[in-house]
Amino acid sequence: MARDYKALRDGNKQAQLEEAPRIPGESIKAIAKDVMYICPFSGAVSGTLTITDYKLFFKSLARDPPFILDVNLGAISRLETIGVQNHGENTRGLEIVCKDLRNPRFAYKKEEQSKLQILEMLTRYAFPLSHDLPLFAFLYQEKFPEDGWKVYDPTAEYKRQGLPNESWVISKVNSSYEVCDTYPALLVVPSSISDDDLKKVASFRAKRRIPVLSWIHPESQAAIIRCGQPQVGPSDRRCKEDERYLQTILDANAQSHKLTIFDARQSSVADTNKAKDGGYESESFYPNVELNFLEIPNIHVMRESLRKLKEVVYPAIDEAHWLTAVDATHWLEYIRLLLAGAVRIADRLESGKTSAVVHCSDGWDRTAQLTSLAMLMLDSHYRTLRGFQVLIEKEWLSFGHRFASRVGHGDQNHANSERSPLFVQFMDCVWQMTKQFPSAFEFNELFLITVLDHLYSCLFGTFLYNSELERMLKEVPTKTVSLWSYINSQVEEFTNPFYVAYEHHVLYPLASTRHLELWVNYYVRWNPRMRPQVPVHQSLKELLLLRVELERRVEELRRDASSSSAQPSSATHTTAPMHTTV
Amino acid sequence: MLSLGSSGGKQPAKPSFVSYVTPEEINSEKESPKKEKLPALLPGEVVFCSANPVLKYTQDEFSQRGVFGTLVCTNFRISFVSDEAQTEDTSQHFKNKLYGQNDIPLMCVDHIYGGYDDKKKLITGPQLKNKYPSKIIIHCKDLRVFQYCLTFTDEKDAKKIFQGIVHHCLESKSLKCVFAFSYSANNAEMQRKWRTVMFDSTDDWVQEMKRTKGNCRLVTENQAFELFQRLPQYFIVPAAVTDEDFQTAKKFSGKGLPIWCWSHHSGCALFKTATVPLMQEDTVSQNYMDRMLNAVAQNHLYSVKTEDLGDTLPSLQEVQLSYSKFKQFFLIDNSTDFWVSDVKWFSSLENTGWLDIIRQCLQKALEVVECLEKENTNVLIMEEEGSDLCCVISSLVQLMLDPFYRTLTGLQSLIQKEWVTGGHNFQDRCNHLHHKDKEHLQAPVFLLFLECVWQLLQQHSPAFQFSETYLTVLSDSVHVPVFSTFLFNSIQQRVSMLTAESPHTQRGPLSCPTVWDWSVQFDCRSQEFFINPVYTEKLRVDKTTKKSHRPKHTRQLSLPSSAFKTPPKKGFFKEETDSLKKMLRGKRLSRWMLSPDASPQGSSREFYEAWQRRPLDYHGVLLPQLEGPAVRVWMQRYLRWIPEVQIFGGGAVALTSRLAELQGEVQDLLRRLERQGRGPYLHDRPPPPPYPAATSPTLQLTSQSHLLRSSVRLSSSFPFISVRNWSFKPVIPTSVPQGLSFTDPDNIADKEDEYSETISLV
């Protein structure tokens, strides 16, 4: 296929200069010159549009410096042909609606073969699964010095938490994913519960997602337990094994005589669920159990909120009504709700010394958000660069957050109601925490944005598919590269220079809109006027470099006071294999 | 808890003359009960009345608790002294020597409310003799909120203290009763040097003109205010203004005279003026204005643009109205109110319009900068008084164009030049004297300027030597009645008052401290918080040149004019060249005063974008970002006292402490290298960019770094709220999220998450 374009490239210097750079494994699928990009900020510009199996790349030499637009095909939600006016011969238009809050628009001449091909190729490679093509992660050939698939080892992680102990065991009951196909192979369960009882509990819990330990407090032994909703149904069904199971969890923590259940849902919705065979634990059947609703709306509400937010931030900002418009999206209100819920969970464990059971309906959306945020507050390990990767691998990936369904990787059904930006919302909460505690996190903002970009990009295998089982069946770890391989091969890029490691320090973020702000560097980053100037941390980075340099010199002098011919250290710069457009 | 300055507190000075104390109050002072504890008094401070026991509600606990103590009203402040034994709070790094955290300077009182049972009533004036509320709620101009309960107090005392506070805080008083005069008359040792340029001598103005290479006329004929009462003793006008013009100007009491603010390196300059009311067929005033405009134009290239700020910026009444709505969101009486206002927070703020007024001022300043920097035309800004929004805009323009003003002494000099000497009516705008008939003149214009500076500071932090804390303290200091800086309406009023109030006329006028003498309020350690740790000082090429106390205005053109390829645009500023020609032909100028027709928004967009494309130079031109998210709430100033929003172990202090720590380490390493007799940069590396701690001779951040090393124990309200033994209990919102069930046509909130459901939403 590439041969067809050779002539075009050779014959046209412009096109050659405007060609897309490629990453290993990437191949060009279509090139069209004299395409017009209708930039909402700087006006229309003509250039060459290249479609590869990984990205859409537009470059124009008409401007100095050359104008470049780079969109990962994975970020594309839908393609729409539009009519265009006021751009001369270019009467046909294409709008590319993206998941990362931008809608680039192109205009081109009517009925030109190469332009039609562009559209066809774009459709094929933006939605490979809908066209029986592999996701690009399976074609990506880059090698990294670090292996990100080794970042998360559940046994090591549980060992770090002090598990197993006398009350909790690491069970292999789900090693072939028979008990629950959306759970990981290894589960931490009370040591006194038999596998048979576990299976009975599984049949009582939504999607067979039994209550399992996810985190344990190193001092009080209070634990965060996650699960699916109990299927009590309209007739208030009971399950003796489930009741006993929760009692065992309560007994495992000697410091408290209570167990708190946090149901993430709105209480009214939980009631509705009861009618549909779902429901919540009745305090009268479960002694010493306290039930709290966190009143967080469902995935559809969140999707709608982000859709509204996109309208507010892209392309133009109405500055006179900016704050009112942000308020109307409710996005920050939901962020506040999530943080407030997680603070309550963390506080229950930390000051209440009481274990908390967290569930929503199925226990893979709001539950993952809440448990991972609570852990981030309670455990400083998760605030390191690698610890955070473990947190995502554990709470989100291994416990079966349905990334494929929520993101819709490679799928053209953009209207699928299962899509929802739950992980984006979680990362936003993390960002809010990093804003409130600027020195408590080892990773920086670029790291968070990079993770979010590759949530969509399909470059790495990390976020593909819905569960550990699916990823194993698709041989993701052997056939794709992990996002963490890329990240951990250039840690300096993603390190927060302000980081101070405080161990055993609980962070309670403030769940008040006074201290929440819209994540402008992520949501509004496509607006060139919002581009940050040199960030403040730059001067600190320089200072850190200076200190390293001075330390080196002091050391040097100490070693050899008379010599002045010390070798200047040659800094080896590892060039980034690719970079996230920030 | 209580931390008061002790300077001169040992022997309470006898008041020389206290005509403002009613006899009743003097009596009450005499019979004050023995058990009452009084605060350490400042020189010249007199107790009017006091009451014990009074219960002060403490806000820092989440349950409402209180402390019993004595409530005192003096001629300087309302003070509360706790009955409980006070352990000296050594952990407090940032202590005001004049007033502690339980003191409210009288001038700082914004509103007093009486709490009657469950009702809260605004107290506006003298009350019925026998009535007093069970609770006094005081809202302060620095946004603190105090609540005192009088139910345990003896009825007579309660009445007295309530009426005393109301009388001294709300009743109009004469200027000479302001505490500053009493304080200064009783405080002899106060003369010191400061580096701030005060602009009270010809030398200061000559220097300033030299520094900016201005070429205008210094007017010295107003030394005893013979010419104009409203103008300072010395000021600068275009060179073409003649003595004859002054005689005409006298008819308009100096209005219409273009006062020089600052010269751009290209030669063009910024002038400001008060507008002359133009009557139809009034040839005198029209000819006079023609001449003045002509004089401005002649300053450089025969070009001038005029801008009547009264036409294009909000009125002072709008500024005042907007701010009084805005501040309400930060004067929080209790936790319930806090959480109620947390819902719809952003739109509530926006509806006050305060942020938009800030944006408009920055936008206007940006437009003036464009004229000076890109088009090199003279600019004459005008408004009714010529000393309100003119001061805001001219100061902002100078901050954006001249890096000297971004230093601490620079900003202080700028405020002296534009605001103090420039005759901003501080007394009336702040209504320091509570004159009922002057309430309509009140407007937080100076605060508006500080707000704009804060926006610039948070957008381009490394360009400024002063910190956010400095700006916050400065905004507080406006309401501390000890300083002469913000007390007067004009230089003339200042000179005559200080002369009249001098206790020893032969020794010259009363010497009243200026706010720039920060040692009156803060010790050296506290003053360190005024320095921005990320400030990047300009690299001094020639190390042998002594640091002059007023650095030369940077000549370097950070924006080569070739960067702007934009066609000469039709600005909303009026092109005066045509009109000038007409004027020379004897035509009328009245049409110049018409409001502009072109839209202001977006016109400067290209200018901004061209600037944004160039590498950022912190010592060159600095422009503000104005898009919606860029204009933000000055969190430190507005949120510092609200216990619900304190982030323990977080906030900006975490960054500051880390920076200070590193700077300390780097300095340490540098010293060690120097001790070994070797310059640290012999080969392989260019000298590093200098950091304030390493280069600034007067301000060392090292001790700060020791203080801050435990930033994990500090909160986001640092340094205003110091370390407490907080309980590490998280704040959990109590408001019911009612706003969440918004109207959605599809009822998506009730839908299931489950994938089995087939709901198509589109």
Side-chain angles (χ1 to χ4, degrees):
Chain A
M1 198 156 234
R3 225 184 314 123
D4 299 343
Y5 302 106
K6 200 169 179 297
L8 180 95
R9 292 213 298 274
D10 290 348
N12 191 315
K13 207 169 175 222
Q14 178 97 343
Q16 213 170 8
L17 287 168
E18 290 180 343
E19 198 186 286
R22 277 171 294 159
I23 54 172
E26 184 182 11
S27 56
I28 293 177
K29 299 297 176 192
I31 297 179
K33 30 176 208 159
D34 299 326
V35 175
M36 184 178 272
Y37 170 58
I38 309 167
C39 177
F41 309 106
S42 61
V45 55
S46 268
T48 305
L49 180 63
T50 310
I51 306 296
T52 75
D53 45 4
Y54 170 61
K55 65 173 174 277
L56 170 158
F57 186 86
F58 174 83
K59 187 172 178 183
S60 167
L61 294 174
R63 289 200 191 151
D64 182 33
F67 183 93
I68 290 172
L69 178 82
D70 189 339
V71 181
N72 297 334
L73 298 188
I76 297 175
S77 168
R78 74 172 191 266
L79 298 165
E80 260 182 32
T81 47
I82 48 172
V84 178
Q85 283 160 359
N86 308 327
H87 287 291
E89 285 181 275
N90 299 319
T91 53
R92 302 301 301 251
L94 175 65
E95 179 166 24
I96 300 170
V97 181
C98 292
K99 297 166 184 169
D100 57 3
L101 281 84
R102 56 176 163 170
N103 294 358
R105 287 168 166 222
F106 293 93
Y108 47 86
K109 292 190 197 93
K110 208 176 162 184
E111 308 298 332
E112 203 177 295
Q113 195 50 43
S114 64
K115 310 292 158 37
L116 291 175
Q117 209 165 17
I118 282 279
L119 187 57
E120 190 199 321
M121 288 301 153
L122 204 49
T123 317
R124 281 167 67 95
Y125 291 97
F127 311 116
L129 294 188
S130 306
H131 295 87
D132 287 324
L133 289 166
L135 290 162
F136 183 74
F138 292 92
L139 305 170
Y140 186 41
Q141 296 297 324
E142 187 70 79
K143 298 275 182 286
F144 291 100
E146 293 281 324
D147 182 3
W149 293 121
K150 293 195 175 128
V151 160
Y152 178 54
D153 170 4
T155 321
E157 167 58 18
Y158 289 127
K159 195 176 169 210
R160 186 188 69 85
Q161 295 184 19
L163 299 167
N165 62 17
E166 55 179 12
S167 315
W168 298 93
V169 289
I170 301 176
S171 163
K172 291 202 166 71
V173 67
N174 199 37
S175 55
S176 52
Y177 305 98
E178 273 169 355
V179 175
C180 173
D181 59 359
T182 58
Y183 260 8
L186 290 186
L187 297 172
V188 178
V189 295
S191 49
S192 56
I193 298 285
S194 71
D195 284 2
D196 282 348
D197 281 351
L198 272 181
K199 282 170 190 163
K200 282 184 186 133
V201 172
S203 59
F204 184 63
R205 289 279 166 177
K207 302 292 180 306
R208 304 179 57 82
R209 293 170 70 93
I210 52 171
V212 292
L213 179 142
S214 197
W215 189 80
I216 186 160
H217 195 286
E219 280 148 28
S220 68
Q221 302 290 301
I224 297 178
I225 316 289
R226 55 180 294 172
C227 56
Q229 65 181 331
Q231 292 176 312
V232 298
S235 58
D236 279 326
R237 227 185 347 258
R238 293 179 67 170
C239 172
K240 283 276 171 250
E241 290 79 10
D242 194 74
E243 287 161 23
R244 207 160 51 234
Y245 190 93
L246 290 197
Q247 183 61 43
T248 319
I249 291 170
L250 198 164
D251 294 340
N253 170 21
Q255 302 225 24
S256 176
H257 304 293
K258 264 165 92 182
L259 183 68
T260 309
I261 297 176
F262 287 100
D263 189 326
R265 298 168 293 185
Q266 289 162 303
S267 49
S268 56
V269 173
D271 276 326
T272 324
N273 265 300
K274 222 168 153 178
K276 298 174 192 162
D277 231 26
Y280 47 89
E281 295 81 355
S282 156
E283 285 179 14
S284 47
F285 300 154
Y286 293 81
N288 304 316
V289 161
E290 178 190 302
L291 180 70
N292 292 290
F293 290 101
L294 295 178
E295 306 289 336
I296 303 170
N298 66 22
I299 66 165
H300 311 295
V301 173
M302 301 310 171
R303 176 182 57 240
E304 189 57 17
S305 176
L306 189 67
R307 189 191 62 73
K308 283 186 192 161
L309 185 63
K310 184 174 181 175
E311 282 173 6
V312 171
V313 300
Y314 190 93
I317 288 171
D318 175 5
E319 52 195 46
H321 304 102
W322 162 250
L323 290 176
T324 310
V326 170
D327 243 2
T329 68
H330 299 276
W331 183 256
L332 288 174
E333 245 171 280
Y334 301 140
I335 297 286
R336 186 183 86 137
L337 262 183
L338 275 174
L339 283 172
V343 165
R344 285 177 69 179
I345 296 169
D347 178 50
R348 198 95 285 256
L349 268 82
E350 181 65 25
S351 13
K353 294 180 168 45
T354 301
S355 295
V357 174
V358 185
H359 68 72
C360 43
S361 296
D362 296 321
W364 52 43
D365 290 317
R366 281 164 282 195
T367 302
Q369 290 177 318
L370 290 164
T371 56
S372 50
L373 284 172
M375 288 177 209
L376 208 54
M377 295 168 196
L378 289 165
D379 192 337
S380 61
H381 174 66
Y382 295 129
R383 292 173 226 143
T384 64
L385 189 63
R386 281 174 188 261
F388 189 72
Q389 296 166 14
V390 169
L391 185 69
I392 291 178
E393 286 282 347
K394 179 164 153 300
E395 286 308 296
W396 290 84
L397 291 159
S398 82
F399 278 102
H401 173 68
R402 304 172 54 76
F403 277 103
S405 309
R406 297 292 174 251
V407 175
H409 292 129
D411 174 24
Q412 69 182 5
N413 182 12
H414 62 85
N416 190 322
S417 69
E418 268 198 73
R419 293 196 185 177
S420 189
L422 282 259
F423 188 71
V424 177
Q425 210 175 23
F426 160 72
M427 292 295 266
D428 193 329
C429 291
V430 176
W431 178 82
Q432 303 285 353
M433 284 181 72
T434 65
K435 288 297 276 186
Q436 295 191 13
F437 302 95
S439 65
F441 294 83
E442 194 189 15
F443 47 86
N444 59 18
E445 187 177 38
L446 178 64
F447 169 75
L448 296 176
I449 293 175
T450 305
V451 171
L452 283 181
D453 277 343
H454 293 297
L455 168 69
Y456 301 132
S457 76
C458 298
L459 182 62
F460 301 105
T462 303
F463 294 117
L464 302 183
Y465 302 106
N466 281 330
S467 66
E468 193 175 287
L469 173 64
E470 277 185 37
R471 274 186 293 278
M472 203 192 67
L473 293 174
K474 300 283 180 183
E475 298 170 272
V476 169
T478 48
K479 289 187 169 169
T480 72
V481 179
S482 162
L483 170 58
W484 317 128
S485 305
Y486 164 64
I487 300 272
N488 295 338
S489 299
Q490 42 184 354
V491 247
E492 325 77 50
E493 281 287 303
F494 302 110
T495 307
N496 169 17
F498 291 98
Y499 177 60
V500 185
Y502 295 121
E503 281 199 39
H504 312 302
H505 179 54
V506 181
L507 296 185
Y508 291 122
L510 216 67
S512 154
T513 43
R514 263 83 158 180
H515 274 302
L516 298 182
E517 51 182 304
L518 192 76
W519 188 3
V520 168
N521 287 351
Y522 177 68
Y523 300 112
V524 203
R525 61 183 157 153
W526 311 121
N527 186 335
R529 286 172 66 86
M530 280 320 298
R531 208 145 288 166
Q533 307 273 351
V534 186
V536 170
H537 67 74
Q538 195 57 42
S539 72
L540 187 80
K541 260 190 170 163
E542 282 164 22
L543 208 55
L544 279 165
L545 285 174
L546 179 64
R547 186 187 61 170
V548 169
E549 169 72 12
L550 289 172
E551 272 171 349
R552 189 182 66 81
R553 295 199 141 273
V554 168
E555 179 65 15
E556 212 170 78
L557 285 170
R558 199 183 54 79
R559 269 206 314 265
D560 187 358
S562 60
S563 164
S564 59
S565 59
Q567 289 291 308
S569 70
S570 56
T572 45
H573 287 286
T574 43
T575 40
M578 41 146 289
H579 72 106
T580 302
T581 335
V582 188
Chain B
M1 287 265 168
L2 187 83
S3 49
L4 282 168
S6 52
S7 56
K10 272 131 220 156
Q11 70 279 43
K14 283 249 162 65
S16 47
F17 181 62
V18 280
S19 65
Y20 37 81
V21 181
T22 62
E24 185 192 31
E25 282 163 344
I26 291 173
N27 287 339
S28 83
E29 192 199 345
K30 277 180 193 150
E31 24 170 87
S32 68
K34 285 104 225 132
K35 68 165 189 170
E36 287 187 358
K37 286 187 207 165
L38 291 178
L41 298 178
L42 294 173
E45 188 175 2
V46 186
V47 174
F48 288 154
C49 49
S50 62
N52 183 304
V54 169
L55 181 68
K56 174 182 175 285
Y57 290 117
T58 49
Q59 279 200 317
D60 31 309
E61 307 301 323
F62 299 119
S63 59
Q64 282 221 335
R65 226 167 50 88
V67 176
F68 281 105
T70 311
L71 190 60
V72 187
C73 180
T74 77
N75 58 343
F76 167 56
R77 61 183 148 175
I78 299 163
S79 183
F80 178 83
V81 190
S82 167
D83 285 345
E84 286 163 32
Q86 293 298 309
T87 45
E88 188 57 36
D89 191 358
T90 47
S91 57
Q92 200 179 351
H93 307 307
F94 194 68
K95 216 186 280 185
N96 194 312
K97 295 200 271 183
L98 293 176
Y99 61 99
Q101 51 195 10
N102 284 321
D103 298 329
I104 315 163
L106 296 184
M107 231 179 228
C108 188
V109 172
D110 193 9
H111 287 299
I112 300 176
Y113 295 90
Y116 302 90
D117 300 324
D118 279 340
K119 275 182 225 129
K120 190 174 124 181
K121 204 181 124 209
L122 179 68
I123 312 285
T124 50
Q127 299 297 296
L128 289 172
K129 271 287 171 211
N130 292 316
K131 276 202 164 175
Y132 68 92
S134 57
K135 207 157 109 182
I136 310 179
I137 304 165
I138 301 180
H139 287 184
C140 300
K141 289 186 173 168
D142 61 10
L143 302 153
R144 288 181 296 170
V145 173
F146 290 92
Q147 300 191 41
Y148 304 107
C149 174
L150 298 178
T151 40
F152 306 94
T153 319
D154 176 65
E155 194 183 315
K156 202 174 115 231
D157 287 349
K159 232 184 284 173
K160 216 179 286 169
I161 192 76
F162 173 65
Q163 277 162 8
I165 287 174
V166 169
H167 176 81
H168 293 290
C169 295
L170 300 180
E171 294 293 286
S172 63
K173 58 172 140 192
S174 75
L175 178 57
K176 63 174 192 259
C177 295
V178 171
F179 179 65
F181 301 106
S182 172
Y183 175 79
S184 306
N186 290 281
N187 197 7
E189 27 81 56
M190 263 194 345
Q191 200 48 55
R192 81 237 341 118
K193 293 186 204 99
W194 42 77
R195 300 192 302 156
T196 304
V197 188
M198 301 301 284
F199 291 97
D200 55 359
S201 68
T202 51
D203 191 48
D204 287 348
W205 285 103
V206 169
Q207 282 292 327
E208 178 72 354
M209 221 176 358
K210 239 191 218 164
R211 194 180 68 85
T212 62
K213 299 224 169 80
N215 188 23
C216 295
R217 173 183 172 178
L218 174 66
V219 182
T220 54
E221 288 86 346
N222 200 36
Q223 204 163 356
F225 308 100
E226 307 96 320
L227 287 173
F228 316 108
Q229 299 249 313
R230 57 187 305 283
L231 291 178
Q233 287 149 305
Y234 313 104
F235 56 91
I236 295 174
V237 293
V241 175
T242 63
D243 289 348
E244 205 178 305
D245 292 327
F246 289 142
Q247 293 313 312
T248 323
K250 274 179 97 166
K251 295 196 184 88
F252 306 101
S253 52
K255 288 188 172 185
L257 270 185
I259 308 293
W260 175 83
C261 300
W262 184 79
S263 281
H264 186 257
H265 53 72
S266 66
C268 62
L270 174 65
F271 298 89
K272 61 181 176 188
T273 187
T275 42
V276 173
L278 278 185
M279 303 295 164
Q280 289 288 319
E281 311 302 324
D282 177 0
T283 46
V284 181
S285 61
Q286 273 161 13
N287 287 341
Y288 164 63
M289 274 320 287
D290 285 357
R291 285 195 54 77
M292 292 303 104
L293 216 48
N294 194 12
V296 172
Q298 280 179 32
N299 180 60
H300 177 70
L301 290 178
Y302 214 71
S303 65
V304 62
K305 287 187 177 184
T306 62
E307 169 71 4
D308 192 333
L309 300 177
D311 291 342
T312 50
L313 286 179
S315 69
L316 295 185
Q317 288 75 25
E318 284 168 307
V319 171
Q320 165 70 7
L321 187 67
S322 169
Y323 180 67
S324 51
K325 281 191 218 155
F326 181 77
K327 73 179 176 199
Q328 286 309 321
F329 288 99
F330 303 95
L331 293 161
I332 303 288
D333 287 347
N334 57 58
S335 210
T336 319
D337 285 3
F338 176 87
W339 290 112
V340 166
S341 58
D342 208 44
V343 181
K344 303 271 166 219
W345 168 246
F346 294 104
S347 33
S348 312
L349 285 189
E350 193 160 76
N351 289 339
T352 67
W354 181 244
L355 292 175
D356 196 52
I357 291 176
I358 294 169
R359 192 196 325 272
Q360 287 183 50
C361 289
L362 287 167
Q363 168 76 31
K364 185 63 64 190
L366 175 63
E367 286 156 7
V368 176
V369 166
E370 185 182 4
C371 289
L372 293 165
E373 175 75 15
K374 184 179 150 196
E375 293 163 24
N376 297 149
T377 55
N378 296 300
V379 177
L380 176 65
I381 49 176
M382 51 177 85
E383 69 178 317
E384 196 181 346
E385 289 291 321
S387 58
D388 290 303
L389 295 171
C390 273
C391 295
V392 176
I393 301 304
S394 71
S395 314
L396 287 176
V397 167
Q398 292 173 65
L399 268 172
M400 292 178 197
L401 286 169
D402 191 337
F404 166 60
Y405 292 126
R406 296 176 214 143
T407 63
L408 194 136
T409 45
L411 181 75
Q412 298 185 161
S413 305
L414 182 65
I415 293 170
Q416 277 296 133
K417 181 169 86 165
E418 293 298 325
W419 293 84
V420 180
T421 311
H424 175 65
N425 297 354
F426 280 105
Q427 197 183 96
D428 290 346
R429 295 292 172 245
C430 304
N431 200 9
H432 281 321
L433 306 177
H434 303 287
H435 285 310
K436 290 273 179 295
D437 56 334
K438 286 194 168 173
E439 258 168 14
H440 65 284
L441 297 175
Q442 207 173 335
V445 184
F446 185 64
L447 177 67
L448 176 60
F449 165 63
L450 294 181
E451 283 264 18
C452 294
V453 179
W454 182 84
Q455 302 292 341
L456 285 170
L457 172 65
Q458 59 108 10
Q459 289 181 14
H460 308 289
S461 197
F464 294 88
Q465 193 193 21
F466 48 85
S467 65
E468 177 186 30
T469 303
Y470 170 81
L471 291 176
T472 305
V473 167
L474 185 54
S475 75
D476 290 345
S477 301
V478 174
H479 310 292
V480 179
V482 164
F483 308 106
S484 58
T485 313
F486 304 123
L487 209 50
F488 302 104
N489 276 335
S490 67
I491 291 291
Q492 185 270 337
Q493 187 192 24
R494 170 199 189 83
V495 169
S496 63
M497 260 322 274
L498 291 180
T499 311
E501 289 302 304
S502 173
H504 318 283
T505 32
Q506 68 277 20
R507 272 200 257 150
L510 184 69
S511 138
C512 198
T514 144
V515 74
W516 314 128
D517 187 358
W518 291 109
S519 63
V520 174
Q521 288 191 78
F522 300 98
D523 60 19
C524 293
R525 260 177 30 162
S526 302
Q527 284 181 52
E528 283 171 10
F529 293 108
F530 292 171
I531 298 299
N532 174 11
V534 298
Y535 177 57
T536 48
E537 212 164 320
K538 186 142 180 79
L539 200 71
R540 278 192 299 275
V541 189
D542 189 0
K543 291 219 164 173
T544 52
T545 27
K546 275 230 161 171
K547 198 183 171 186
S548 86
H549 95 129
R550 257 180 286 168
K552 275 268 188 307
H553 175 42
T554 25
R555 295 286 103 185
Q556 148 212 12
L557 190 66
S558 61
L559 278 175
S561 46
S562 63
F564 306 104
K565 296 239 170 71
T566 50
K569 68 177 176 74
K570 289 235 163 54
F572 73 101
F573 277 96
K574 281 157 286 173
E575 276 299 344
E576 302 296 356
T577 0
D578 288 348
S579 314
L580 275 169
K581 283 175 197 146
K582 286 178 198 158
M583 177 197 76
L584 292 172
R585 282 182 237 122
K587 291 225 172 174
R588 290 250 195 85
L589 274 185
S590 54
R591 88 185 63 177
W592 291 16
M593 304 303 156
L594 290 176
S595 66
D597 38 332
S599 87
Q601 299 286 327
S603 66
S604 51
R605 188 163 277 224
E606 283 174 68
F607 175 66
Y608 178 82
E609 280 170 2
W611 172 81
Q612 200 191 22
R613 278 195 294 272
R614 312 215 47 94
L616 184 58
D617 174 11
Y618 288 122
H619 300 279
V621 177
L622 218 58
L623 300 183
Q625 216 176 23
L626 297 170
E627 292 282 296
V631 178
R632 301 156 63 144
V633 176
W634 184 355
M635 302 283 254
Q636 188 193 49
R637 175 176 149 82
Y638 291 105
L639 296 183
R640 60 195 151 142
W641 312 117
I642 305 174
E644 284 84 355
V645 286
Q646 284 190 52
I647 309 171
F648 294 112
V653 64
L655 296 187
T656 324
S657 59
R658 180 86 175 103
L659 262 176
E661 193 181 326
L662 258 178
Q663 278 169 350
E665 282 172 35
V666 165
Q667 270 188 86
D668 202 47
L669 286 167
L670 277 169
R671 265 197 297 275
R672 278 166 67 185
L673 278 173
E674 253 156 50
R675 225 178 295 134
Q676 304 193 39
R678 304 186 36 163
Y681 310 104
L682 292 179
H683 38 90
D684 80 337
R685 226 170 183 274
Y691 294 93
T695 48
S696 173
T698 46
L699 295 141
Q700 297 285 322
L701 280 160
T702 34
S703 58
Q704 193 176 334
S705 87
H706 289 301
L707 293 176
L708 299 180
R709 202 147 281 168
S710 57
S711 76
V712 69
R713 308 212 344 107
L714 305 174
S715 88
S716 58
S717 292
F718 184 86
F720 293 96
I721 302 271
S722 60
V723 193
R724 295 278 170 82
N725 298 326
W726 68 77
S727 51
F728 259 121
K729 276 292 274 183
V731 181
I732 293 167
T734 53
S735 58
V736 193
Q738 288 160 325
L740 299 184
S741 49
F742 59 95
T743 48
D744 73 278
D746 298 321
N747 276 327
I748 48 173
D750 301 332
K751 284 181 180 159
E752 297 275 323
D753 278 358
E754 282 88 12
Y755 63 100
S756 51
E757 295 238 348
T758 45
I759 321 157
S760 183
L761 276 169
V762 186

